[in-house]
Amino acid sequence: MTELLKEIVEEAEERAEKRKAREIAERMFRKGASIADVVELTGLSEQEAQEVLRRIREEA
């Protein structure tokens, strides 16, 4: 693979991992998990976890 293709693949994989982590965080919040637990178990930053929680609250 060329360097450019490798970078594209890596970026796509990182995006997929973040999307999956956000999906898991959403399920955790819906079950009552704390921000600290979500951060610890998903690898999201505190700010990212808060964004997920804020989106859930806006939907309600």
Side-chain angles (χ1 to χ4, degrees), residues 41-56:
L41 297 173
T42 65
L44 294 174
S45 69
E46 186 171 334
Q47 180 180 352
E48 291 169 321
Q50 288 175 345
E51 289 172 6
V52 172
L53 183 56
R54 185 172 32 254
R55 191 178 69 237
I56 291 169

Side-chain angles (χ1 to χ4, degrees), residues 18-57:
K18 278 289 187 187
R19 183 173 48 249
K20 187 66 175 175
R22 287 176 177 267
E23 291 171 2
I24 293 168
E26 184 174 333
R27 289 195 307 256
M28 290 177 69
F29 281 132
R30 292 187 188 281
K31 296 218 175 252
S34 68
I35 289 177
D37 286 341
V38 169
V39 168
E40 179 182 348
L41 297 173
T42 65
L44 294 174
S45 69
E46 186 171 334
Q47 180 180 352
E48 291 169 321
Q50 288 175 345
E51 289 172 6
V52 172
L53 183 56
R54 185 172 32 254
R55 191 178 69 237
I56 291 169
R57 289 178 175 163

